[in-house]
Every structure is written in C-alpha cells, then in structure tokens.
Amino acid sequence: MRPELVNDMKQIFAVVKPFRAEKLIAAVAQLDVEEISIREVNGFGRQKNYLDRYGENEYSLAFIPKVEVSVWVEDSNMEAVIEQMTLIARTGRLGDGKIFVMPVCKTVALNWASDASVA
C-alpha cells in the first residue's frame, strides 16, 4: 500500500562543497520554503580515488567533507529551489555535489499537534 503524500510536498536535499553552503543557504532561505536543515557529511561520488593537487601537496579525495542542505517545499516551489541551488553550487569541477528530490509522506509537529495538516 502506497502512503498518501502530504500537501504535495517534496524534500530537496543538496550535498555541496562546504565553501558554497553559506551562500546556498542564504539564497534558498529567501525563497518560499517550509523548513531548512543543515548538516556536515563526508563521502564521495564518481571521483572516488582520484587525487587532487592543493598547493604542493596531494590529498586523497576518498572521503570528502561536504555540507548537506535539506529543504522542504510545496511542489509549486520545487523547480525554483532546484534552479537556485544549481546556480549557486555548480562550479563546473568534479565533486560539485548532487541534488536529490523525494516526496514527503507525512509530517508531524512534535511541539503541539499530531496532525500532518498543521505540522
């Protein structure tokens, strides 16, 4: 059985380079979003074991520090958020990150309600 979606909401989360995160958060916060959550993460994508030269040293990119920015939006605002995230996070280099979009099945406000319609 497939769960019913809540108000046609989506969770958009972007995994981006840390130096792009602050600008991305500021820009997305100006859009019509329900909530924003941020956390530091480590991982790798297609670059896997490539080496990057930084100054005179070589660094393995096996687990690269990134920032994950999660945003909850109504479907009608999804494309604007994705466009803004892409515009700010993209440098054109390997390891810029990814944007994922997932449906929101249910929300529950823990402070005072158990009804998804008021969360």
Side-chain angles (χ1 to χ4, degrees), residues 4-74:
E4 290 188 35
L5 301 180
V6 175
N7 297 330
D8 298 322
M9 286 189 72
K10 298 287 189 271
Q11 177 189 9
I12 303 170
F13 65 97
V15 180
V16 300
K17 292 180 176 181
F19 72 93
R20 294 289 192 180
E22 192 171 326
K23 187 175 179 183
L24 185 140
I25 294 161
V28 169
Q30 298 300 313
L31 301 173
D32 190 12
V33 299
E34 298 296 319
E35 294 193 30
I36 299 175
S37 172
I38 304 143
R39 65 183 176 147
E40 294 178 7
V41 296
N42 291 301
F44 63 83
R46 281 187 267 169
Q47 74 270 18
K48 292 187 177 44
N49 294 324
Y50 288 95
L51 294 176
D52 193 23
R53 292 204 50 88
Y54 183 77
E56 296 292 319
N57 303 314
E58 285 187 348
Y59 293 92
S60 173
L61 298 180
F63 289 100
I64 303 168
K66 301 279 185 163
V67 174
E68 181 182 303
V69 179
S70 294
V71 180
W72 288 265
V73 298
E74 297 290 332

Side-chain angles (χ1 to χ4, degrees), residues 52-107:
D52 193 23
R53 292 204 50 88
Y54 183 77
E56 296 292 319
N57 303 314
E58 285 187 348
Y59 293 92
S60 173
L61 298 180
F63 289 100
I64 303 168
K66 301 279 185 163
V67 174
E68 181 182 303
V69 179
S70 294
V71 180
W72 288 265
V73 298
E74 297 290 332
D75 276 359
S76 59
N77 300 322
M78 178 183 67
E79 291 302 327
V81 171
I82 292 171
E83 183 179 322
Q84 192 71 351
M85 287 178 153
T86 302
L87 180 69
I88 292 169
R90 182 176 286 155
T91 67
R93 298 196 59 201
L94 190 64
D96 275 348
K98 289 223 178 2
I99 297 173
F100 302 89
V101 180
M102 299 179 0
V104 175
C105 295
K106 184 174 184 176
T107 61

